[in-house]
Amino acid sequence: MNTVGIFCGSSEGHSTAYIDAARHVGKYLAEQGISIVYGGGRVGLMGAVADAALAYGGHVTGVIPKSLLEREIAHTGLSELLVVDNMHQRKNMMAELSSGFIALPGGAGTAEEIFEQWTWAQLGIHDKPLAFLNVNHFYDPLTVMVQRMVSDGFMKQDYANMLRFSENLHDIIDYFKTYTPPVSKWTTRNENHHV
């Protein structure tokens, strides 16, 4: 595990627990020698992760679309800032550069980004681990929804098990180091094919 892709809010949220967790993530990963790839912003939890990692000597790569760069929300002090044409290219590049993915609390963009990586993992497009840092029980409702997908027959338990929900970053990194992906969808003829 040498590079982690971080998805998180461009806002700070209403609880100081969120910004504190973002700073802890940046500091911890830097201290572990794990590089960070993220969306390149200087605002919200995104900026807090980057600033903390940089303060502790970490390597932080931002990937930002031109449209957001032009709105002046790009972090200008990163180890590396990659500018791409659009959001699709941003996600593709982050996927290529990352060894695993962690979602901190965030809004629709955060959810969309980690869910796309989860979908790609199910399809065997990549075999990288995914986790949710469950700060302040933020992702508790999602754990219920994921199990509902399984219990109502829309997904196999193996694919639900791909996701790690934890309040503990050390636990997540340990999980990443030992992660073994399940068999990807559509690879055997006799499987029950669920989305």
Side-chain angles (χ1 to χ4, degrees):
M1 180 57 49
N2 51 14
T3 305
V4 170
I6 300 289
F7 303 122
C8 60
S10 57
S11 298
E12 294 184 4
H14 293 313
S15 171
T16 57
Y18 299 128
I19 196 82
D20 290 345
R23 290 174 178 143
H24 173 69
V25 167
K27 176 179 183 287
Y28 181 85
L29 294 178
E31 289 175 339
Q32 298 300 309
I34 299 172
S35 297
I36 292 171
V37 176
Y38 85 116
R42 60 175 171 77
V43 294
L45 300 189
M46 296 173 71
V49 169
D51 287 342
L54 292 166
Y56 284 87
H59 187 276
V60 182
T61 300
V63 184
I64 194 164
K66 288 177 183 175
S67 61
L68 296 181
L69 182 72
E70 291 162 358
R71 294 178 200 171
E72 299 181 349
I73 65 165
H75 196 302
T76 56
L78 301 176
S79 311
E80 186 177 18
L81 182 65
L82 306 175
V83 180
V84 295
D85 289 334
N86 53 54
M87 294 294 283
H88 296 294
Q89 288 181 0
R90 172 201 249 179
K91 291 184 295 181
N92 285 337
M93 184 165 289
M94 288 183 68
E96 289 174 9
L97 296 174
S98 301
S99 306
F101 307 93
I102 300 174
L104 279 67
T110 301
E112 186 268 338
E113 289 168 329
I114 192 73
F115 265 64
E116 182 168 67
Q117 295 307 323
W118 183 27
T119 302
W120 289 2
Q122 290 178 52
L123 294 172
I125 295 171
H126 69 71
D127 59 0
K128 301 171 183 180
L130 306 105
F132 292 83
L133 187 62
N134 197 16
V135 181
N136 205 23
H137 301 283
F138 184 82
Y139 284 114
D140 285 359
L142 181 57
T143 66
V144 175
M145 188 67 241
V146 169
Q147 283 309 307
R148 180 69 183 266
M149 293 174 186
V150 174
S151 64
D152 279 18
F154 291 102
M155 183 172 60
K156 293 182 175 184
Q157 186 65 51
D158 282 351
Y159 302 137
N161 293 344
M162 295 172 111
L163 304 178
R164 182 68 154 217
F165 291 88
S166 179
E167 299 174 11
N168 186 297
L169 184 58
H170 178 75
D171 170 67
I172 288 173
I173 297 303
D174 279 351
Y175 168 71
F176 280 12
K177 290 175 181 176
T178 61
Y179 175 74
T180 302
V183 175
S184 60
K185 292 173 69 169
W186 320 121
T187 55
T188 64
R189 187 179 305 171
N190 297 323
E191 288 182 325
N192 292 324
H193 300 305
H194 298 305
V195 175

